[in-house]
Amino acid sequence: MLFSKNGAMPRITQPHDDAWSPDVEDAVATFGNRSRNEILRFLTANGPASRGDIVAAVSAGEPSVAKHLIALEQVGAIEVDVEAGRRHGRSPRYSANPARIKELLDAHLRYVLEE
């Protein structure tokens, strides 16, 4: 990791233009993470699936998969058959949401290609 002259970690930059929309932010967070991509790929090919099924199929542990599933659900890239708050004692099944995945990818492409 590169540090500045004073030994501090570098600042994380944030784009300052109107084209950097919430969908672009969500796309970068979603598709810029290998585990999230692996989960989406698995669910697209095999879903709906339980969290245990996903853990068994991808190269991430249960706590990591749980964290990524929450993030993917928040951006709408996956859907869950049991609503949040009602999952205690239940085994929800997760499915990819191809329409939302395409929306996020399209937003990212428009941003990168300045369309």
Side-chain angles (χ1 to χ4, degrees):
M1 177 171 284
L2 298 174
F3 292 91
S4 65
K5 293 179 190 177
N6 65 6
M9 290 185 64
R11 291 182 323 140
I12 296 174
T13 62
Q14 295 292 325
H16 294 291
D17 64 51
D18 293 335
W20 190 270
S21 68
D23 276 355
V24 173
E25 183 72 33
D26 289 344
V28 169
T30 299
F31 306 117
N33 182 287
R34 288 182 183 182
S35 294
R36 291 179 189 171
N37 280 277
E38 191 175 6
I39 291 167
L40 288 172
R41 186 171 167 88
F42 172 77
L43 288 175
T44 298
N46 303 289
S50 69
R51 185 167 56 192
D53 294 337
I54 298 165
V55 170
V58 302
S59 57
E62 198 280 331
S64 180
V65 167
K67 176 184 78 168
H68 292 306
L69 289 172
I70 290 168
L72 291 168
E73 184 181 2
Q74 287 174 337
V75 301
I78 63 170
E79 297 172 333
V80 189
D81 67 351
V82 179
E83 58 183 278
R86 296 189 167 266
R87 295 183 188 161
H88 184 70
R90 297 192 175 139
S91 183
R93 299 186 61 77
Y94 300 86
S95 302
N97 181 352
R100 180 62 177 151
I101 291 168
K102 287 176 185 174
E103 285 177 5
L104 293 172
L105 288 169
D106 287 345
H108 193 204
L109 280 173
R110 280 191 306 276
Y111 175 79
V112 171
L113 300 175
E114 297 184 296
E115 294 179 351

